[in-house]
Amino acid sequence: MRDSRSGHTLRGAVLAVAIAVGAMAVAPGVAWADGSPVAEQLFRDGRAAMKKGDYERARTMFVESQRLDPAAGTLLNLALAEEKLGKLASAWEHSGTALEGFSASDDRIAVAKKLHDDLDKRVARLTLTTSAPFPAGTKVLVDGTELSMASLGVALPQDPGPHRIVVRAPDHKDREFSLTLAERAAQTQALELGEVVDTPPLAPGPAPAAASAPPSAPEREHAETGSETTRAVGWALTVAGGVGLVVGGVTGVLTIGRKNTTDEHCNTTGCDSEGFDASKEGRTLGTVSTVAFVAGAALAVGGVSILLFAPKPRARGEAVSPASSLRLGVNGLAGSVSGTF
């Protein structure tokens, strides 16, 4: 009898556990999360928020728990929260993924399958088409999410509500399409490229320089007169500088002679009359020598510089051009010397 009663008691306990598990599987927002303590706590907080009807918070908790430790049970609860928020496409995707993650013996598989089948009927479907292939580099964005070209022509699950589609192609303006999908709707949207972007014309290059006309007779005469005057000034300064250098040299020699006379007629006690006069003249000649050398060198350098950079005298009958008026001529310098002397 005890054995019989014991057998009945054991079968009753197993049945009670099975009923409890089945109830948890059917109850909305109830599943299991496997993994790290943080993911587990987030999962529990999400379930608590679901019981209070705070589906947005529940969704946030389930998303973070799934990120930390992916689990089929977490995805199922996430799909339940998204279904309550009207995010049918996301709920359809997550319930299908959860369905694939459960083992065949898992009681939660029935809840996931029922939810997924129901959402498959309610979700909106949007098919995007084109009349011609898009150029390379074209992007199609639905609510900011880029789709591959392989998605064109496929009935894509979408949440009911408003949607914004953008076609972005190289050398074209963006083309936007706005539409609103109802629950269970199946809609097709033909896509087109935007207007071609006008390429700005290239900036015109600099105009070729016009050939300069040959100068007139008065202009040639004026250029010749200016050149001759400049060279005359250069030669005058050079000659004056040479004279200054000669004067400086001569007075320098005289200064040395006066110094020798001073040394002969002067000693530590004094100078005689000849020595005194030689000393006085030596100081004067030394000053004249120094000034003459400095002035002569400056004048000579200035004159030579003018001669070097003055325009070369033009041969009779030769047209004066900007290039020829600036050309330096050593031969011209030699010709001017022979003409001056």
Side-chain angles (χ1 to χ4, degrees):
M1 175 95 49
R2 200 168 36 245
D3 294 339
S4 176
R5 283 197 301 271
S6 298
H8 285 299
T9 302
L10 180 59
R11 286 194 297 273
V14 171
L15 180 60
V17 171
I19 293 174
V21 169
M24 292 180 67
V26 176
V30 178
W32 296 273
D34 305 319
S36 68
V38 176
E40 177 67 23
Q41 185 60 52
L42 288 168
F43 177 79
R44 292 179 182 276
D45 290 347
R47 289 177 57 189
M50 284 277 287
K51 291 179 181 179
K52 295 178 181 179
D54 190 351
Y55 302 114
E56 188 59 51
R57 175 174 172 78
R59 176 178 174 273
T60 302
M61 297 296 102
F62 292 141
V63 167
E64 182 63 10
S65 177
Q66 179 69 10
R67 185 185 71 83
L68 294 175
D69 189 14
T74 306
L75 277 180
L76 176 57
N77 281 269
L78 175 58
L80 290 167
E82 290 172 332
E83 188 269 340
K84 294 294 184 182
L85 293 171
K87 300 181 181 297
L88 303 187
S90 299
W92 175 84
E93 178 185 0
H94 291 145
S95 62
T97 305
L99 185 61
E100 296 174 356
F102 291 130
S103 63
S105 60
D106 197 314
D107 294 316
R108 292 170 293 179
I109 199 169
V111 179
K113 187 175 188 311
K114 182 178 184 305
L115 177 63
H116 186 68
D117 291 344
D118 180 60
L119 290 171
D120 191 60
K121 298 174 183 177
R122 296 173 56 195
V123 72
R125 308 276 177 174
L126 175 62
T127 303
L128 304 176
T129 62
T130 61
S131 58
F134 284 156
T138 301
K139 296 180 180 180
V140 177
L141 298 94
V142 177
D143 300 326
T145 301
E146 183 178 349
L147 303 181
S148 66
M149 292 298 106
S151 300
L152 301 181
V154 178
L156 305 174
Q158 296 291 321
D159 295 333
H163 296 274
R164 176 173 173 267
I165 306 168
V166 178
V167 178
R168 185 167 297 158
D171 301 326
H172 290 74
K173 295 181 180 179
D174 287 357
R175 182 69 183 274
E176 297 187 8
F177 303 85
S178 297
L179 51 86
T180 301
L181 298 176
E183 189 173 314
R184 304 175 187 271
Q187 187 167 335
T188 299
Q189 176 64 55
L191 302 181
E192 297 176 356
L193 296 175
E195 297 179 2
V196 177
V197 177
D198 294 332
T199 304
L202 297 177
S212 57
S216 61
E219 291 176 342
R220 291 197 298 270
E221 293 176 359
H222 178 72
E224 293 171 0
T225 303
S227 174
E228 293 174 357
T229 302
T230 301
R231 297 181 68 79
V233 172
W235 278 115
L237 293 176
T238 303
V239 171
V243 172
L245 293 174
V246 171
V247 171
V250 171
T251 53
V253 172
L254 294 176
T255 300
I256 295 173
R258 294 298 181 271
K259 184 178 183 301
N260 293 334
T261 302
T262 301
D263 292 341
E264 292 175 358
H265 294 272
C266 295
N267 52 36
T268 56
T269 60
C271 298
D272 57 17
S273 59
E274 187 176 352
F276 179 79
D277 292 339
S279 175
K280 183 178 179 180
E281 292 175 0
R283 287 195 296 270
T284 302
L285 290 171
T287 301
V288 172
S289 177
T290 300
V291 172
F293 263 120
V294 173
L299 291 172
V301 170
V304 171
S305 299
I306 291 175
L307 292 174
L308 289 175
F309 290 97
K312 177 184 177 182
R314 182 179 55 86
R316 185 172 299 275
E318 178 186 355
V320 178
S321 66
S324 63
S325 65
L326 296 177
R327 189 180 301 116
L328 301 180
V330 177
N331 294 333
L333 175 59
S336 296
V337 173
S338 62
T340 301
F341 297 99

